[in-house]
Amino acid sequence: MGVRDILDVLLVAALIYQGYLLVNGTRAVNVVRGVLIFAAIWLLSSVLNLSALSYLLGRAGTVGLFALVVVFQPELRAALERVGRPRSRDAGRGSAALLDLSRAAERMAERKTGALIAIERLTPLGEYARSGVALDAKISAPFLEALFARNAPLHDGGLIVQGDRVVAAACLFPLQASDGTYRRYGTRHRAALGLSELTDAVVVVVSEERGSIRVALQGRLGPELTVSELRDRLRELVYEETL
């Protein structure tokens, strides 16, 4: 075995490992296991010269590939987006903005005012910002509270934050499919989960029913947070993990 063969093996192993990282923690993991079992049975039928079974599995495999692309289009899109995601960002701004955001979330939770705030990290959220009303305003606690106040024109939908500025309000976020895990939560939480599943955004949700503050990340909902815990969590996620 030469150097080229070793390099070939290492590159294939790296690709397999990166593919595992892309699907790990998503519903696609079980599908990958199923595909591997299907391929193993197909290979075994070919080795044993079971022509009828091999023919049927071959036909089913061709159709199944197209079906997987259709069914798992959101996961494929998210995986490709993660591959092309830039690896650095400007972290020099936003400490004061995080403090104002945390204070606004605390006050809205006390008054049980619902809120949905997406903080952009490395994945651009422009397509979701275009679904709402364009803004260009510096973050402040009173401003955020006014946007989500009951009967305010822009209180429905989500808010998108870039750095220390609010770029859009009343935005439509994709809803996470209801698989039973978060069925007791409403549309606002499912929207937070849906956006965090397709992008790397950190999404803050304030519940108008429970008066709780949670953070959605990578399609999962975190525990209830106090204002200090929220501030520390946002600083960690937005300005430390993306360096």
Side-chain angles (χ1 to χ4, degrees):
M1 181 177 290
V3 175
R4 183 177 298 179
D5 298 318
I6 296 175
L7 179 62
D8 190 22
V9 171
L10 290 176
L11 289 175
V12 171
L15 286 174
I16 293 174
Y17 178 69
Q18 289 300 319
Y20 169 76
L21 291 180
L22 288 175
V23 301
N24 186 36
T26 70
R27 61 173 181 158
V29 171
N30 292 330
V31 176
V32 170
R33 294 194 186 104
V35 169
L36 291 177
I37 294 173
F38 180 89
I41 296 175
W42 190 2
L43 179 62
L44 183 62
S45 67
S46 299
V47 171
L48 297 178
N49 199 25
L50 303 176
S51 56
L53 180 59
S54 181
Y55 174 80
L56 289 175
L57 292 178
R59 292 292 183 179
T62 302
V63 176
L65 285 177
F66 288 103
L68 287 176
V69 170
V70 173
V71 173
F72 289 94
Q73 185 270 338
E75 283 79 5
L76 291 173
R77 176 184 173 185
L80 292 174
E81 184 275 326
R82 287 199 295 273
V83 170
R85 183 179 295 164
R87 300 301 177 186
S88 64
R89 61 167 284 143
D90 179 11
R93 305 180 300 166
S95 296
L98 292 182
L99 180 59
D100 283 335
L101 194 155
S102 301
R103 287 173 176 168
E106 180 186 34
R107 294 172 185 169
M108 289 187 287
E110 290 174 351
R111 294 194 295 267
K112 293 190 175 181
T113 299
L116 179 61
I117 304 172
I119 304 173
E120 181 180 287
R121 295 204 293 175
L122 300 180
T123 304
L125 301 178
E127 64 176 292
Y128 304 107
R130 287 190 290 271
S131 68
V133 177
L135 300 172
D136 184 16
K138 189 172 182 178
I139 292 177
S140 68
F143 178 61
L144 295 178
E145 293 175 61
L147 286 176
F148 287 107
R150 290 184 177 87
N151 300 321
L154 302 179
H155 81 283
D156 283 332
L159 195 74
I160 294 180
V161 171
Q162 293 177 350
D164 61 348
R165 305 194 71 81
V166 176
V167 298
C171 301
L172 299 177
F173 295 164
L175 299 181
Q176 185 189 56
S178 181
D179 59 357
T181 305
Y182 298 104
R183 61 176 178 270
R184 66 190 181 95
Y185 293 96
T187 304
R188 185 176 287 110
H189 288 80
R190 287 179 57 202
L193 290 165
L195 183 67
S196 69
E197 194 172 49
L198 296 178
T199 72
D200 71 335
V202 177
V203 191
V204 179
V205 192
V206 180
S207 172
E208 62 183 339
E209 296 179 358
R210 303 176 181 85
S212 61
I213 305 172
R214 293 175 182 266
V215 170
L217 184 69
Q218 297 179 346
R220 300 187 184 280
L221 201 59
E224 293 186 17
L225 301 173
T226 64
V227 63
S228 59
E229 291 171 340
L230 174 64
R231 185 174 62 250
D232 293 341
R233 183 67 172 147
L234 292 181
R235 184 182 294 112
E236 173 192 351
L237 293 173
V238 180
Y239 296 107
E240 292 181 11
E241 286 194 3
T242 54
L243 288 178

